[in-house]
Amino acid sequence: MSRRREEMLKELGLWPVWRLRAAAGETGTVCEDVSATEELTDHGAPAAAPGSRRELILRMEWPEIKARVALCTDCGLHARRKKTVFGVGDENADWLFIGEGPGADEDAQGEPFVGQAGKLLDNMLAAIRLKRGENVYIANITKCRPPGNRNPEPAEASACEPYLARQIELIRPKLVIALGKVAAQNLLAREASIASLRGKVHRYGDIPLIVTYHPAYLLRNLPDKAKAWEDLCFAVRTVKSL
Ligand code: SF4
C-alpha cells in the first residue's frame, strides 16, 4: 500500500483496522475482512399516470430536466433556497451516491456534498479508488435545502422524486449507494433502520442498491466509520460480481 493511501485511511479513522490489498493479477483494490451477506430485496419505482407531472418529467432529457429543476417551485422548499442542487458528476457513471438533501454549504454553492461531509465522502470514494466526477454521480433525495437541515417531509421528497427517478434512468448506474436512512427509506419506499438495511443488495427497479451511513452522521459517530468501510467493500464486491 502506498503511503498516501495509508495516510488517507488514517484520516478516515480506518487504519489499521481495515487493510487493502491488491489481489494477484489485479490492479484494483480488494477489501478484506468483510462478512456482509447478500440478500435480494426488490422495490420497483412507482408507475407514472398518463399525462401526469411525473410522466412529463420522466420523458425529459438532461437539458430539460436541469432547466426545470432550476426554476422549480413544486414544493415548499423552494421558498428559502439560495440555489437548487441538481446533482453532479459523470452522467454515464457506474456508481451513483444519493444523500438526503442539501445543507447550508450545498445550498450556497449549488453542489451536493461540499463542506466537511463532502470531504469525508471524497475520502470514502478515494478509499475504493473512485473520484467525484469520474465514473461517479452524486445526488440527493431533494434538490432544495430543508430549513435547519431537518429531514425532508414526505410531501417534499415525493414532489422531488420524479427528478431523481429520471436522473437514475438517464445515468443507468451499475450500483446505487443510499447514504443514510432518509435516502434509503425513500429509495426503497419503506421504513427500516440502517442496521437492518446494511449488508444486503436491494433493488431500485432493476438496479442493485446498497445502504450505508451518511457522511454527516459518520462525522458525529466516528466508530461507525469502520461499518461504512465494510459497506464500501461490500459495494466493490457487488460491482465486481455484476
Ligand atoms: Fe422542486 Fe424538488 Fe426544490 Fe421541491 S425540492 S422545489 S420539488 S426542486
Side-chain angles (χ1 to χ4, degrees), residues 53 68-70 72-79 81 84 141-145 156 158-161 163:
R53 167 183 174 272
R68 169 143 184 162
V69 165
C72 183
T73 57
D74 291 347
C75 83
L77 294 182
H78 81 276
R81 75 178 176 222
T84 54
I141 293 296
T142 63
K143 308 213 176 295
C144 301
R145 182 192 180 203
E156 295 158 353
S158 175
C160 219
E161 182 275 336
Y163 297 129

Side-chain angles (χ1 to χ4, degrees), residues 30-112:
V30 174
C31 304
E32 293 183 305
D33 302 326
V34 177
S35 57
T37 57
E38 296 192 28
E39 177 181 312
L40 294 181
T41 58
D42 293 315
H43 164 63
S52 65
R53 167 183 174 272
R54 188 166 194 278
E55 190 203 40
L56 179 75
I57 293 170
L58 291 180
R59 280 194 266 115
M60 290 181 172
E61 298 301 324
W62 284 113
E64 293 172 274
I65 194 170
K66 287 176 184 173
R68 169 143 184 162
V69 165
L71 299 174
C72 183
T73 57
D74 291 347
C75 83
L77 294 182
H78 81 276
R80 292 170 63 181
R81 75 178 176 222
K82 293 189 178 116
K83 291 185 177 176
T84 54
V85 181
F86 181 77
V88 69
D90 180 349
E91 292 173 356
N92 298 301
D94 288 338
W95 294 75
L96 173 59
F97 291 79
I98 300 176
E100 57 187 59
D105 292 331
E106 291 79 10
D107 182 50
Q109 297 184 39
E111 180 169 335

